[in-house]
Amino acid sequence: MNTYGTRKGLVLALLCLAQFMVIMDIAIVNVALPSIQTDLGLRDSTLQWVVIAYGLFLGGFLLLGGRLGDLLGARRILLVGMAIFTAASLLAGLAGSAELLIGARALQGFGAALLAPSALSILAVTFAEGQERNRALGIFGAVGASSASIGVIASGLLTDGPGWRWIFFINIPVGLLLIALAARIL
């Protein structure tokens, strides 16, 4: 494979891992909810916001994320989104109260809303229209589709192992790696 093809493969792998992290975080909290509730002493009505805050901010700010990518550059917004998502993951893992956890989840959702449209935009301009782009989009979509299922499994393993906080802490090394690679590859 030539250098140009290798670079495209690295870009696709990077974007797929970013998409994996965004979608997985929708599902990863579900198995950990009883542990979170017990540890933080949350009522059922408060507990649901741990899930809702992420989805609400992700869905609510996707258009803004896409527009900012158009105006300021998809690479820049992807990096900002990754940084926000990673920092918010640290906050969520350290949260000692419902308010901090829900706020951190909302911030994760906002970071994801910046990251997701920028990743798709970079994918679209990196791969030539036609079969090459279709294949890349297919791989990108398959990774997204499988990440929710993997999130549920990972949540169970992390919650039973080191504890529920690790469903958030796991994003930190992945996020830092993605930021470093994106800064270099894109």
Side-chain angles (χ1 to χ4, degrees), residues 11-102:
V11 169
L12 180 59
L14 170 81
L15 297 175
C16 284
L17 186 55
Q19 178 72 352
F20 181 86
M21 193 169 64
V22 166
I23 301 299
M24 184 178 73
D25 244 62
I26 294 169
I28 200 165
V29 298
N30 292 327
V31 174
L33 286 173
S35 297
I36 293 170
Q37 185 175 29
T38 300
D39 194 35
L40 297 181
L42 305 180
R43 294 187 332 261
D44 288 340
S45 59
T46 304
L47 187 64
Q48 67 187 357
W49 283 100
V50 175
V51 177
I52 293 170
Y54 181 84
L56 190 62
F57 274 72
L58 170 59
F61 288 101
L62 270 174
L63 289 175
L64 176 65
R67 185 65 179 140
L68 287 173
D70 291 343
L71 294 173
L72 303 174
R75 178 185 181 272
R76 177 179 293 150
I77 298 304
L78 179 86
L79 287 167
V80 169
M82 285 179 183
I84 291 170
F85 186 92
T86 303
S89 296
L90 176 62
L91 285 175
L94 295 174
S97 69
E99 296 80 13
L100 183 56
L101 180 57
I102 292 167

Side-chain angles (χ1 to χ4, degrees), residues 117-175:
S118 296
L120 192 55
S121 175
I122 292 167
L123 188 140
V125 299
T126 300
F127 294 90
E129 188 175 351
Q131 184 178 6
E132 183 182 60
R133 186 180 299 160
N134 293 343
R135 182 173 292 131
L137 286 169
I139 293 168
F140 187 77
V143 167
S146 64
S147 59
S149 299
I150 294 170
V152 172
I153 295 166
S155 180
L157 294 172
L158 291 169
T159 302
D160 282 345
W164 68 265
R165 294 179 185 281
W166 282 90
I167 66 172
F168 302 114
F169 289 149
I170 196 73
N171 291 329
I172 298 165
V174 175

